[in-house]
Structure formats: structure tokens, C-alpha cells
Amino acid sequence: EARMKASSKEYDEAIAIYNSILKAEPGNVDALNGKARVLAWMGKHEDARSVYQKVLSKHPSNVESLTGMADTYAWQKKFDMGIELLENSLSVNQDNRDILIRLARYHLWKGEKDESLYYSNRILSSHPADSDALDTRSKASFLYTLEYYAGHYYLDINNNVDGNNAYAGFRY
């Protein structure tokens, strides 16, 4: 019921249901994660992280809490914090698709194409038809092409030997 309320953006009602579950069962991981997710959707990122941390203190490799907390950082454009959290969890969850796709996306959003391609390809090595990984890889590859044709390559100071590269870059 709480998930249905959250899906229909009845956030306060969903939180009330999760709170009633947590009153009876304070350690209910599903209710804690659900409540944190709803708080994050409401834009209450600090509150959401606090709830996720309750789960992670007892279950440090809980993927839903790890990815949820990382999402709260990414939604605030604190990509490095989300990336660090998820990369630290890879020792335990090395092939977890939810973690890898977020790492691919966060690196893409941060403009780090090589890293995004790396994580997308990691997913695709075991799940060749994964639509999210294919889409992320496609977007990262597109950035290479866009930067090249936008003159990024020509304007790169390290490649600019005689000034002609700058002229070509501005022309593009």
C-alpha cells in the first residue's frame, strides 16, 4: 500500500504507512528503505540518507540502501560522493547490475566518458541485451563524437602546436 501511495505521489500518506510499520517493527529493512526512497523523492535528501544509514549500519552491503543513498547524492549533483560510495561497495557487490549502471550513469553525468563506457561494458559482458547499459554506452560514445566535431579536439591546448588547430576548432 505504501509503495502504491508513493507511486501516485501521495508521499505523506506513504510516509505515514512506513512509520506505522516501523513503529511495530523498528528494524524492518523494507520499510526503512521505502521510507528513505520516498523522502528522497520529496527532496529531503539529508533525511533520506539518515534512514538509509540506519540500514547500512546493520547491513553494510544492502544494495537498495547503497544505491538509494548514492542516488540522493547524484540528484544533488554530488557525483563524486555517490561514485565513491558505490565503488567502495564493489568489493562485496562486484557484479551487481544496479550498482554498475549507476556508476556508468553518474560518470556520464559528470562528463567522464571512459569510466561510463567501462561500467556499461562491464554490465554488457554478462548481460549483452541490457537496455540501460546499451543506452548509457551509446550516450557516452555520442559525447566523443560531439566533442570531436564541436572542435574540442582542435582546441585542446596540448594538440595546438601552431595555431592552426585553434582556427580549425573555432571553425567547427
Side-chain angles (χ1 to χ4, degrees), residues 1-155:
E1 186 179 350
R3 287 183 185 137
M4 287 176 28
K5 296 283 186 189
S7 299
S8 60
K9 298 185 180 186
E10 297 175 53
Y11 299 136
D12 292 328
E13 292 87 347
I15 293 288
I17 294 168
Y18 284 126
N19 283 338
S20 69
I21 294 169
L22 291 168
K23 185 175 180 181
E25 301 174 55
N28 185 312
V29 173
D30 290 332
L32 287 166
N33 281 330
K35 178 179 178 177
R37 187 180 327 102
V38 173
L39 288 168
W41 291 344
M42 294 171 73
K44 298 179 179 184
H45 301 293
E46 291 297 325
D47 294 339
R49 284 193 282 269
S50 175
V51 176
Y52 282 130
Q53 192 56 49
K54 286 180 186 177
V55 175
L56 292 172
S57 67
K58 294 183 182 185
H59 308 282
S61 60
N62 183 285
V63 173
E64 188 174 350
S65 294
L66 287 166
T67 57
M69 186 178 291
D71 284 344
T72 65
Y73 289 124
W75 294 338
Q76 291 183 303
K77 301 192 184 323
K78 297 177 181 179
F79 302 117
D80 288 331
M81 295 176 81
I83 289 168
E84 181 181 354
L85 176 68
L86 294 179
E87 284 180 344
N88 288 340
S89 74
L90 282 177
S91 61
V92 176
N93 301 299
Q94 60 189 8
D95 293 322
N96 185 284
R97 184 224 174 260
D98 290 331
I99 290 174
L100 294 174
I101 195 63
R102 279 173 173 81
L103 285 167
R105 285 179 182 152
Y106 298 168
H107 281 292
L108 178 65
W109 296 343
K110 195 176 171 199
E112 297 173 341
K113 300 167 294 295
D114 291 332
E115 292 83 354
S116 180
L117 288 169
Y118 169 75
Y119 287 113
S120 296
N121 287 332
R122 248 177 96 173
I123 295 167
L124 293 169
S125 68
S126 56
H127 306 287
D130 187 290
S131 60
D132 291 330
L134 287 168
D135 181 57
T136 303
R137 184 176 72 176
S138 172
K139 288 176 181 174
S141 297
F142 175 75
L143 279 180
Y144 273 113
T145 305
L146 178 66
E147 287 178 351
Y148 181 82
Y149 286 108
H152 181 269
Y153 170 79
Y154 296 103
L155 291 173

